[in-house]
Structures are given as C-alpha cells and as structure tokens.
Amino acid sequence: MFEAPRSLTYRAAEAVVIHFDDLLGRLPEDRLGRLPGGLSLAAVRRTRNILSHDYRAAQKSIIWDVVEQRIPAVIAALVE
C-alpha cells in the first residue's frame, strides 16, 4: 500500500482516480453499456471530489482497492 501519508505513491493514486472520473464522463453512450454492473458513477464522482478537494481524509485502503482492482476491471470491460 502507501508508505506514508501524502507520499508520492499516494499522490499518484489520487491523480489516477481524479482523471478516471473525467474519462468516464467522456465515454460515448455506446461504451457506457460496457461498464461493470456494480460500478456506481456517483460513487466514482464522490471519491474524486473527496480526493481533489480534500474534504476529509480518504481511507487509503479504499484508494488502493480502486487503483489496483476496480480501475483495471473497468478498463478491461471497456476494451473487450
């Protein structure tokens, strides 16, 4: 996971999640149907807002799960 709060690795993960939300918002309609059923676009947006505006400390385990598991699963579904 992340070595220390606000480490370079954590900051990179923040950037990935923030830009992931932007990319999902730009998907053409025909690709939206390929998104995994359990993916909540509202949850992606909330996570992005927490990270980009630093509303409160994000749980590092959630951010790690998003970067390691969820984003790769979405990418795989989109390129099939």
Side-chain angles (χ1 to χ4, degrees):
M1 201 181 312
F2 307 110
E3 304 85 36
R6 299 294 187 202
S7 68
L8 182 58
T9 308
Y10 181 78
R11 299 297 293 188
E14 282 182 324
V16 168
V17 173
I18 289 167
H19 291 288
F20 181 65
D21 173 60
D22 182 53
L23 291 172
L24 288 178
R26 296 171 188 253
L27 280 178
E29 286 292 322
D30 63 317
R31 294 282 176 143
L32 288 175
R34 294 184 181 187
L35 293 174
L39 179 69
S40 165
L41 295 178
V44 172
R45 175 71 30 95
R46 284 191 303 272
T47 303
R48 177 235 179 257
N49 287 341
I50 289 168
L51 292 174
S52 64
H53 300 292
D54 204 24
Y55 290 140
R56 63 182 188 267
Q59 291 184 17
K60 289 172 182 45
S61 61
I62 292 173
I63 303 307
W64 188 255
D65 178 60
V66 168
V67 171
E68 185 177 56
Q69 301 293 323
R70 296 179 186 257
I71 290 175
V74 170
I75 292 170
L78 290 173
V79 298
E80 287 181 344

